[in-house]
Amino acid sequence: PAPEEIRAPDSWSRRAAEGGVTVWNSVPAIAQMLLESRTGLPPALRLILMSGDKIPGALPAALAKAKPDLRVIAAGGPTETTVWNILNDVT
């Protein structure tokens, strides 16, 4: 994104929709911002992977309500290697 769009969730959502993005990978706070954007979740989105921070308890349910066919995965692992060795479906 352009520098002025870096902190603009509406722009992220619009660009993801235009590009047909199907997978979103971010920390939970960014996923929350995407969900709360005026444009909402991209229509082709099928999977959200979240790691790097605690997932707020209400976030998975809010994502499921916004897009019932969305798969939500909590990923984790040793941060010094940036490798996920834990993946859990969040329902």
Side-chain angles (χ1 to χ4, degrees):
E4 63 273 8
E5 294 180 326
I6 289 174
R7 296 176 193 228
D10 293 331
S11 174
W12 313 336
S13 181
R14 180 181 44 78
R15 287 174 172 269
E18 289 169 357
V21 169
T22 62
V23 177
W24 186 271
N25 178 14
S26 71
V27 297
I30 298 295
Q32 179 88 43
M33 291 171 69
L34 179 70
L35 173 66
E36 293 172 354
S37 69
R38 286 177 290 184
T39 48
L41 298 175
L45 195 63
R46 62 178 178 78
L47 172 66
I48 289 187
L49 294 130
M50 293 183 285
S51 63
D53 204 354
K54 180 181 176 185
I55 298 173
L59 181 55
L63 290 165
K65 183 177 180 182
K67 195 162 182 12
D69 62 337
L70 184 66
R71 184 174 179 196
V72 178
I73 292 184
T79 56
E80 64 276 5
T81 64
T82 68
V83 173
W84 295 331
N85 57 5
I86 301 168
L87 295 174
N88 290 303
D89 278 296
V90 181
T91 57

